[in-house]
Amino acid sequence: MRLSNISRAVMALTALALLSAGAVATPGSAVATPVPASDDAFYRAPDGFESTEPGTILRERPVELASYAELPFNALAWQLLYRTTDLAGRPMATVTTVILPEGAAPPAGRPLLSYQVAQDSIDPECAPSIAMRAGSGPEGFVTQGEMTFISHALQQGWAVSVPDHAGPAARIGAPREPGYAALDGVRAAVQFDPLGLAGLQTPIGLWGYSGGGLATGWAAEVQPSYAPELNIRGIAMGSPLPDPVALNSLSGTFWSGLQLIGLASAREVYPDAAREIDAHLTPAGREAVSAMADQCLARTLATNAFRDNSPYLTVPYAQLMQLPVVAAAVDETKLGGASPSAPVYLYSGVNDEIVPIATVDYLVDAYCAGGTPVTYRRDEMSLHASLIVTGAPDALNWLRDRIDEVPSAAGCDVQTVTSTLQAPGAAETYASTNLRLIEILMGGPIGPR
């Protein structure tokens, strides 16, 4: 199949899936809107939780999920409140949504995938545990879109854990903490009886793209020291923004809102950097950055697209990032300080508008120097928003091989490709998983054939 034909197939199937999402009506009566997390006692850690071990389940409840808040998502799901650790090493509680595919477990036992979504918001109400629930509304549209890839994993017969990796305070971009949250979500999931997993023997994969790729990267880096007992078979990371300085170039582009999210996140995570940032925000800038606390990613992008952010600052953004206190905070949030012990599949766009390919190249070099087996695909065709779709099939196939104990290639396999859809089996996986979306959106059970 020539590349032009692959491209046409990708566009046709993607369009079909999106049109179906808009065309299918929700059966039955309207679903009640979930209680906001700030008013939901489920999210509040019980007294004394600090003395429990990381990964301890503190509460559990069944939940109803939905595609795009209103369309069916026919899989059993529960939420687990569990004990984890914050970036300073203190006890913290957060939530993971665990999902069970239809059908019996595979003969060799059911694997578990921890899927990290790109939350990219400092509003706790944008957490995946809220956005994925039926009746949650359109605010969490980006997270709801990633349920497509969660369904791909369920179609393999894998159970899935989707952690609120930014924690109860939604500290996106924080170092280490997203990794602790994801790994403790895995610890909670493997001991949750309804999933039918094999405890610490459960084969585990990690996957995420963009902000979810960053969280996956932190899980990969802290796992050898924080959760070495977990049977991590493979880690797939897409466009993970290993260096937040890359946000320098986004003002005036479609992604301009991400620069504001970066400032808002730094203010939340680092008090010293917050004072420096505040000192260089104009009144309009303080208003724009403060607005990030009450909106999810889709609205942030839509309301700030192509906006010039320079009037929000008294100095250029790049100069602000170089101020000593801010630069020290930024340095702490960069990936690459530790090498994962499990094999890594990393994919990113050569022409990605958000994540400069040079920063991903540097991360791969760091992992390779540390002895991590890395399969790295530099995709020439895709931009940031398209690679999450076109890069998923090869990532899924690679994860399936690792979970099935097919050995990863030793050392580092770095290739620049026109499209990852050219990889053996990728186009077929794209077609098979996305054609199932129509059935899923109409309420069909989600699991392997």
Side-chain angles (χ1 to χ4, degrees):
M1 179 181 285
R2 295 203 311 264
L3 178 62
S4 58
N5 291 336
I6 294 175
S7 301
R8 292 189 188 100
V10 168
M11 290 187 288
L13 285 169
T14 303
L16 183 59
L18 292 174
L19 286 170
S20 298
V24 180
T26 306
S29 58
V31 179
T33 302
V35 175
S38 56
D39 298 328
D40 190 342
F42 180 84
Y43 286 84
R44 292 195 279 276
D47 293 341
F49 87 97
E50 298 90 345
S51 63
T52 63
E53 292 295 315
T56 300
I57 298 173
L58 306 173
R59 287 197 182 94
E60 61 188 66
R61 66 181 178 188
V63 291
E64 181 183 356
L65 306 184
S67 298
Y68 299 101
E70 299 294 337
L71 302 175
F73 194 87
N74 188 2
L76 292 175
W78 299 261
Q79 288 178 344
L80 310 177
L81 179 75
Y82 60 97
R83 194 270 209 200
T84 186
T85 305
D86 73 6
L87 75 164
R90 299 168 300 209
M92 179 180 79
T94 193
V95 171
T96 188
T97 304
V98 295
I99 312 170
L100 182 67
E102 176 77 8
R110 191 183 303 283
L112 174 70
L113 176 73
S114 181
Y115 186 90
Q116 288 63 244
V117 304
Q119 181 175 334
D120 293 346
S121 169
I122 63 168
D123 183 353
E125 301 299 333
C126 301
S129 65
I130 296 172
M132 295 194 303
R133 291 184 63 187
S136 59
E139 185 74 18
F141 177 80
V142 174
T143 293
Q144 293 159 3
E146 291 202 60
M147 293 178 75
T148 293
F149 311 110
I150 294 168
S151 77
H152 292 353
L154 295 170
Q155 290 176 44
Q156 312 308 307
W158 306 342
V160 179
S161 170
V162 187
D164 289 358
H165 57 75
R171 286 191 288 248
I172 63 163
R176 301 179 300 281
E177 184 175 289
Y180 301 151
L183 294 169
D184 286 325
V186 168
R187 283 169 162 160
V190 298
Q191 61 183 292
F192 185 59
D193 288 341
L195 294 181
L197 303 177
L200 295 179
Q201 284 70 51
T202 302
I204 296 160
L206 306 174
W207 189 14
Y209 187 85
S210 192
L214 177 59
T216 301
W218 282 115
E221 292 193 12
V222 304
Q223 184 265 328
S225 59
Y226 185 75
E229 80 282 7
L230 295 178
N231 183 16
I232 306 292
R233 298 276 181 87
I235 301 157
M237 302 161 53
S239 302
L241 191 65
D243 186 348
V245 172
L247 300 177
N248 287 352
S249 62
L250 297 185
S251 178
T253 72
F254 172 79
W255 306 101
S256 185
L258 293 180
Q259 208 174 66
L260 300 179
I261 293 175
L263 291 173
S265 174
R267 290 170 80 230
E268 292 293 317
V269 176
Y270 296 103
D272 291 341
R275 287 187 286 271
E276 193 74 80
I277 292 169
D278 287 345
H280 291 87
L281 286 172
T282 64
R286 282 190 287 275
E287 182 178 350
V289 172
S290 296
M292 298 298 102
D294 296 310
Q295 55 189 252
C296 299
L297 178 60
R299 183 146 57 101
T300 295
L301 293 176
T303 57
N304 293 282
F306 305 107
R307 176 169 291 167
D308 178 8
N309 290 333
S310 59
Y312 292 156
L313 294 166
T314 61
V315 296
Y317 187 93
Q319 183 177 333
L320 177 64
M321 293 296 104
Q322 293 170 0
L323 297 175
V325 173
V326 180
V330 168
D331 282 344
E332 194 173 340
T333 63
K334 294 179 181 178
L335 290 175
S339 294
S341 57
V344 170
Y345 175 88
L346 215 158
Y347 55 112
S348 198
V350 172
N351 301 303
D352 192 299
E353 322 93 293
I354 300 172
V355 182
I357 194 66
T359 64
V360 186
D361 293 345
Y362 178 85
L363 178 63
V364 170
D365 288 344
Y367 285 172
C368 292
T372 301
V374 178
T375 300
Y376 178 32
R377 296 294 177 262
R378 305 167 85 252
D379 187 302
E380 292 181 313
M381 174 182 286
S382 300
L383 299 178
H384 191 80
S386 60
L387 187 59
I388 188 173
V389 176
T390 60
D394 198 39
L396 185 68
N397 289 347
W398 183 92
L399 278 168
R400 185 169 55 230
D401 283 347
R402 303 293 80 76
I403 286 173
D404 290 345
E405 297 191 279
V406 177
S408 176
C412 286
D413 174 10
V414 178
Q415 296 182 31
T416 299
V417 298
T418 305
S419 171
T420 59
L421 280 174
Q422 292 175 296
E428 291 80 2
T429 295
Y430 182 93
S432 63
T433 53
N434 284 289
L435 285 173
R436 288 283 305 280
L437 285 180
I438 300 170
E439 178 184 339
I440 289 169
L441 292 169
M442 295 180 66
I446 311 173
R449 289 294 189 187

